[in-house]
Amino acid sequence: MAITSANQLELLQTAEAVAREKMIDPALVIEAMEESLARAAKSRYGAEMDIRVSIDRKTGRATFTRVRTVVAEEELENYQAEFTVEQAKQYMENPEIGQTFVEEVPPVEMGRIAAQSAKQVILQKVREAERDRQYEEFKDRAGTIINAQVKREEYGNVIVDVGAGEAILRRNEKIGRESYRPNDRIRCYIKDVRREQRGPQIFLSRTAPEFMAELFKMEVPEIYDGIIEIKAVARDPGSRAKIAVISYDGSIDPVGACVGMRGSRVQAVVNELQGEKIDIIPWNEDQPTFLVNALQPAEVTKVVLDEEAERIEVVVPDEQLSLAIGRRGQNVRLASQLTGLDIDIMTEEDESARRQAEFAERTKLFMDTLDVDEFFAQLLVSEGFTNLEEVAYVEVEELLVIDGVDDDTAAELQARARDHLEAINKKAMEVARELGVEDSLVAFEGLTPQMVEALAKDGVKTLEDFATCADWELAGGWTTVDGQRVKDDGVLEPFDVSLEEAQAMVMTARVALGWVDPAELEVAEEEVEGELDPDRELTAADVFSEGKGA
């Protein structure tokens, strides 16, 4: 691509040809030529000179100019590209700092080395423009499906021709052990597009939950039109998947629409996913109901939801246990990903044994502390009483509904329960005092003596210590480690202190100590309420974060 000043029209013809071939703006090619000509001119006139070249877009004539800038005398560094106000007076009228003086210089004939250098500059600029165009073309296509042609396979990764460049389907993004040969057609989900030093990198996937969702959108017109929405997706790529759908039109069955006539719609998706079995599940706002649907085909007898811990206990008939768990735990794992909850599955027999153990434990508690016989203690447990606090401070009318309990008996029961609790509290406070608890913590509203004792044993002895605690350190929580949810025990967790209650107590302590301005606290609470607005419209990211689980 040698460029000479003699053939001026050749510049424009070359620029047009390159731009057409690479599908970029001809102006970018001409700018690259101007830069290459300027570089060649500097090698002739001197590298320190500010030589600029302008190519006429109509005639192709290249104009070479030398530019000098007026600077202050103390800032003069480059004598070839700068001059002082005094020096500029012989070229300009009333020169001022910052003004430039432009003069045309004779064009430069480019030798072999200069032409080669110019060619490299142009090629580099063209490559950069090509990369920018490719990035701009694909950055907005992330999250969509692309049909492409396989070019080659490298170390298990498939390199795909996407027209304007290449994309990569990594080994871990392929379904099972599927392999491809050059020129095979392939359908993939564009997972990510990144601008990197060596050019835009387009990452494809066939295992992403979003890939299945997009396939259903292509096969089911109701999903494309927004009548049916995919709320969550969970996949074990190549083996099995669950997809939760909801219909906003009462006359359309979301599951039936996704299955299609004689299963034609879902079968098209299954064929694309190498025979992956798909369970289509009706989505429900009620989590226990949704979970019962998600565990299909297993039948569920009972569901117990612990919203704070984001755990759920499911009771199934003995003969349904293996079906609910699935092969290698597949069914319950996918149901967990779909609902975002940890699921404990037990049989009716296991649940019965556990309830009997809890019943016996509470019966013994009341027998030992209230000095009542076994029959009466069992009556209390049967009526729903689980601890001494409930007996001591419940309304008397709730005790009177128990057979054989009159006003005097109820008063005696409450007196015994309160006496026992006071004894426990007194002992707890003595232990706390021995451990060095200060009055500031003892007097803090909301903490019982037993809580104070537990805090003292954990090293929290002052109100300042308490104010530095995190809410999860008090109430407990869950942490995800290596994909597994791990329980963090809280100091006050045995006392049924929720995360919200722990957060409120810690903030109250900080306000009392003057660490937090109450006015700022109110603003922060309003912002949090806005972020956690239950009526907030879900985005696509929300949908698929639900599908991936917590």
PDB file of all heavy atoms in Angstrom, residues 311-315 332 342-346:
ATOM      1  N   ARG A 311     -34.993 -21.009  54.666  1.00  0.00           N
ATOM      2  CA  ARG A 311     -35.004 -22.469  54.606  1.00  0.00           C
ATOM      3  C   ARG A 311     -36.442 -22.943  54.614  1.00  0.00           C
ATOM      4  O   ARG A 311     -37.335 -22.244  55.091  1.00  0.00           O
ATOM      5  CB  ARG A 311     -34.258 -23.086  55.797  1.00  0.00           C
ATOM      6  CG  ARG A 311     -32.775 -22.816  55.807  1.00  0.00           C
ATOM      7  CD  ARG A 311     -32.109 -23.514  56.985  1.00  0.00           C
ATOM      8  NE  ARG A 311     -32.123 -24.956  56.821  1.00  0.00           N
ATOM      9  CZ  ARG A 311     -31.219 -25.624  56.120  1.00  0.00           C
ATOM     10  NH1 ARG A 311     -30.267 -24.996  55.492  1.00  0.00           N
ATOM     11  NH2 ARG A 311     -31.275 -26.937  56.044  1.00  0.00           N
ATOM     12  N   ILE A 312     -36.643 -24.145  54.102  1.00  0.00           N
ATOM     13  CA  ILE A 312     -37.988 -24.672  54.046  1.00  0.00           C
ATOM     14  C   ILE A 312     -37.922 -26.182  54.289  1.00  0.00           C
ATOM     15  O   ILE A 312     -37.028 -26.864  53.789  1.00  0.00           O
ATOM     16  CB  ILE A 312     -38.636 -24.343  52.682  1.00  0.00           C
ATOM     17  CG1 ILE A 312     -40.149 -24.447  52.757  1.00  0.00           C
ATOM     18  CG2 ILE A 312     -38.076 -25.176  51.568  1.00  0.00           C
ATOM     19  CD1 ILE A 312     -40.881 -23.700  51.670  1.00  0.00           C
ATOM     20  N   GLU A 313     -38.817 -26.659  55.124  1.00  0.00           N
ATOM     21  CA  GLU A 313     -38.893 -28.089  55.405  1.00  0.00           C
ATOM     22  C   GLU A 313     -40.070 -28.671  54.645  1.00  0.00           C
ATOM     23  O   GLU A 313     -41.177 -28.139  54.690  1.00  0.00           O
ATOM     24  CB  GLU A 313     -39.058 -28.348  56.910  1.00  0.00           C
ATOM     25  CG  GLU A 313     -37.811 -28.020  57.713  1.00  0.00           C
ATOM     26  CD  GLU A 313     -37.994 -28.319  59.191  1.00  0.00           C
ATOM     27  OE1 GLU A 313     -39.129 -28.655  59.587  1.00  0.00           O
ATOM     28  OE2 GLU A 313     -37.022 -28.201  59.949  1.00  0.00           O
ATOM     29  N   VAL A 314     -39.806 -29.776  53.965  1.00  0.00           N
ATOM     30  CA  VAL A 314     -40.831 -30.416  53.155  1.00  0.00           C
ATOM     31  C   VAL A 314     -41.022 -31.846  53.659  1.00  0.00           C
ATOM     32  O   VAL A 314     -40.053 -32.587  53.806  1.00  0.00           O
ATOM     33  CB  VAL A 314     -40.426 -30.431  51.665  1.00  0.00           C
ATOM     34  CG1 VAL A 314     -41.462 -31.180  50.845  1.00  0.00           C
ATOM     35  CG2 VAL A 314     -40.281 -29.012  51.146  1.00  0.00           C
ATOM     36  N   VAL A 315     -42.264 -32.196  53.921  1.00  0.00           N
ATOM     37  CA  VAL A 315     -42.586 -33.549  54.371  1.00  0.00           C
ATOM     38  C   VAL A 315     -43.266 -34.283  53.224  1.00  0.00           C
ATOM     39  O   VAL A 315     -44.232 -33.779  52.627  1.00  0.00           O
ATOM     40  CB  VAL A 315     -43.515 -33.517  55.607  1.00  0.00           C
ATOM     41  CG1 VAL A 315     -43.834 -34.934  56.067  1.00  0.00           C
ATOM     42  CG2 VAL A 315     -42.870 -32.711  56.739  1.00  0.00           C
ATOM     43  N   VAL A 332     -34.314 -32.098  44.007  1.00  0.00           N
ATOM     44  CA  VAL A 332     -34.375 -31.125  45.098  1.00  0.00           C
ATOM     45  C   VAL A 332     -33.382 -29.979  44.864  1.00  0.00           C
ATOM     46  O   VAL A 332     -33.640 -28.827  45.238  1.00  0.00           O
ATOM     47  CB  VAL A 332     -34.114 -31.824  46.462  1.00  0.00           C
ATOM     48  CG1 VAL A 332     -32.674 -32.287  46.580  1.00  0.00           C
ATOM     49  CG2 VAL A 332     -34.441 -30.878  47.616  1.00  0.00           C
ATOM     50  N   ASP A 342     -33.200 -22.952  50.747  1.00  0.00           N
ATOM     51  CA  ASP A 342     -32.610 -24.226  51.130  1.00  0.00           C
ATOM     52  C   ASP A 342     -33.742 -25.165  51.536  1.00  0.00           C
ATOM     53  O   ASP A 342     -34.625 -24.776  52.312  1.00  0.00           O
ATOM     54  CB  ASP A 342     -31.647 -24.053  52.306  1.00  0.00           C
ATOM     55  CG  ASP A 342     -30.274 -23.613  51.842  1.00  0.00           C
ATOM     56  OD1 ASP A 342     -30.037 -23.671  50.632  1.00  0.00           O
ATOM     57  OD2 ASP A 342     -29.448 -23.221  52.679  1.00  0.00           O
ATOM     58  N   ILE A 343     -33.710 -26.376  51.024  1.00  0.00           N
ATOM     59  CA  ILE A 343     -34.816 -27.309  51.237  1.00  0.00           C
ATOM     60  C   ILE A 343     -34.345 -28.520  52.035  1.00  0.00           C
ATOM     61  O   ILE A 343     -33.348 -29.155  51.664  1.00  0.00           O
ATOM     62  CB  ILE A 343     -35.403 -27.772  49.890  1.00  0.00           C
ATOM     63  CG1 ILE A 343     -35.877 -26.560  49.073  1.00  0.00           C
ATOM     64  CG2 ILE A 343     -36.549 -28.742  50.106  1.00  0.00           C
ATOM     65  CD1 ILE A 343     -36.269 -26.901  47.645  1.00  0.00           C
ATOM     66  N   ASP A 344     -35.043 -28.800  53.111  1.00  0.00           N
ATOM     67  CA  ASP A 344     -34.824 -30.030  53.879  1.00  0.00           C
ATOM     68  C   ASP A 344     -36.010 -30.953  53.614  1.00  0.00           C
ATOM     69  O   ASP A 344     -37.162 -30.581  53.871  1.00  0.00           O
ATOM     70  CB  ASP A 344     -34.731 -29.738  55.380  1.00  0.00           C
ATOM     71  CG  ASP A 344     -33.443 -29.002  55.733  1.00  0.00           C
ATOM     72  OD1 ASP A 344     -32.476 -29.165  54.990  1.00  0.00           O
ATOM     73  OD2 ASP A 344     -33.437 -28.262  56.733  1.00  0.00           O
ATOM     74  N   ILE A 345     -35.715 -32.135  53.120  1.00  0.00           N
ATOM     75  CA  ILE A 345     -36.784 -33.094  52.837  1.00  0.00           C
ATOM     76  C   ILE A 345     -36.763 -34.207  53.880  1.00  0.00           C
ATOM     77  O   ILE A 345     -35.700 -34.753  54.188  1.00  0.00           O
ATOM     78  CB  ILE A 345     -36.623 -33.702  51.429  1.00  0.00           C
ATOM     79  CG1 ILE A 345     -36.837 -32.606  50.368  1.00  0.00           C
ATOM     80  CG2 ILE A 345     -37.597 -34.834  51.202  1.00  0.00           C
ATOM     81  CD1 ILE A 345     -36.819 -33.108  48.952  1.00  0.00           C
ATOM     82  N   MET A 346     -37.919 -34.489  54.445  1.00  0.00           N
ATOM     83  CA  MET A 346     -38.028 -35.589  55.398  1.00  0.00           C
ATOM     84  C   MET A 346     -39.313 -36.366  55.140  1.00  0.00           C
ATOM     85  O   MET A 346     -40.268 -35.836  54.552  1.00  0.00           O
ATOM     86  CB  MET A 346     -37.991 -35.060  56.840  1.00  0.00           C
ATOM     87  CG  MET A 346     -39.130 -34.133  57.207  1.00  0.00           C
ATOM     88  SD  MET A 346     -39.020 -33.588  58.924  1.00  0.00           S
ATOM     89  CE  MET A 346     -37.569 -32.551  58.852  1.00  0.00           C
TER      90      MET A 346
END
